[in-house]
Amino acid sequence: MVFEEAGKVYEPMFLKNVKILPEDLFELDIRNIYGNRQKIVVGIERIFIKKDLSFMMDTRVIVNQPNNVLIFTNLDKALQSIDKLICISGIYGVRFEQTGGCLDVRKSEY
């Protein structure tokens, strides 16, 4: 999984699991670029599949703090956080890349 914002592309992170939350929020269980395992809550504007079957996701600004989770507006600071559960509020593109195994997409989850 790769975050992109305003011309900046972040290092790839490994996506372990995704949990769907209320209000178009997703909880992404990742191992981030600093080697830390985190759960990141993001708001989803849209998810789409390109012709080459790659996935993209656009995030949105989160106005209300979900369940007292710390909200970050700066992605660098969010990824450096030692907190295990965080929320990012901002507009990012997220690209999903396959890393060897099969990409498991279950229709019922999306």
Side-chain angles (χ1 to χ4, degrees):
M1 178 176 89
V2 178
F3 278 93
E4 301 174 356
E5 71 170 326
K8 182 174 181 176
V9 178
Y10 290 83
E11 292 292 320
M13 295 173 255
F14 290 99
L15 179 65
K16 305 294 249 173
N17 196 14
V18 176
K19 181 178 176 183
I20 300 172
L21 304 174
E23 300 180 22
D24 297 325
L25 298 177
F26 281 41
E27 182 182 280
L28 309 175
D29 186 356
I30 64 155
R31 188 173 67 220
N32 69 26
I33 59 178
Y34 299 100
N36 300 325
R37 188 151 179 200
Q38 283 181 312
K39 292 184 179 182
I40 299 178
V41 175
V42 295
I44 303 301
E45 184 67 31
R46 67 184 178 140
I47 299 173
F48 54 98
I49 302 173
K50 293 183 175 183
K51 289 182 180 181
D52 65 358
L53 300 180
S54 63
F55 286 82
M56 289 291 294
M57 178 174 79
D58 290 334
T59 65
R60 63 177 170 79
V61 172
I62 297 174
V63 180
N64 299 319
Q65 186 176 16
N67 299 328
N68 297 320
V69 176
L70 188 59
I71 294 180
F72 287 86
T73 56
N74 180 292
L75 190 55
D76 276 326
K77 288 183 180 180
L79 296 175
Q80 293 176 37
S81 169
I82 60 171
D83 295 294
K84 297 296 182 189
L85 177 62
I86 61 172
C87 180
I88 57 170
S89 179
I91 300 172
Y92 305 99
V94 183
R95 185 176 70 241
F96 295 91
E97 299 175 348
Q98 191 170 344
T99 59
C102 293
L103 187 60
D104 184 12
V105 178
R106 297 183 183 130
K107 196 173 186 180
S108 62
E109 293 180 9
Y110 295 98

